[in-house]
Amino acid sequence: MTEAEIDALFRATQPIGNAINALAQAELIVAAVDDGIPPHVRARLDATLRDLTDDKDTP
């Protein structure tokens, strides 16, 4: 690959990398405060995450 091709691929995939980085940082924040989250709030967060991620592969 040429340097120009590498640069083009990097630019094309940078938004994906940024999104993955944001998710990883959010996971670290949640892990850091996990013990301080009341059970009812944890249940609501879990339900929200399930709603956001479940069945996204089906039309």
Side-chain angles (χ1 to χ4, degrees):
M1 286 181 114
T2 67
E3 190 172 329
E5 290 171 324
I6 293 169
D7 288 344
L9 285 173
F10 177 80
R11 281 190 300 277
T13 60
Q14 190 170 8
I16 296 168
N18 291 344
I20 290 170
N21 184 39
L23 285 172
Q25 290 192 30
E27 286 179 346
L28 291 174
I29 292 167
V30 170
V33 297
D34 188 33
D35 293 336
I37 298 175
H40 71 283
V41 175
R42 165 59 57 202
R44 178 73 176 163
L45 286 171
D46 290 343
T48 301
L49 288 173
R50 276 192 307 277
D51 288 345
L52 291 171
T53 57
D54 287 351
D55 301 318
K56 296 303 180 204
D57 296 335
T58 56

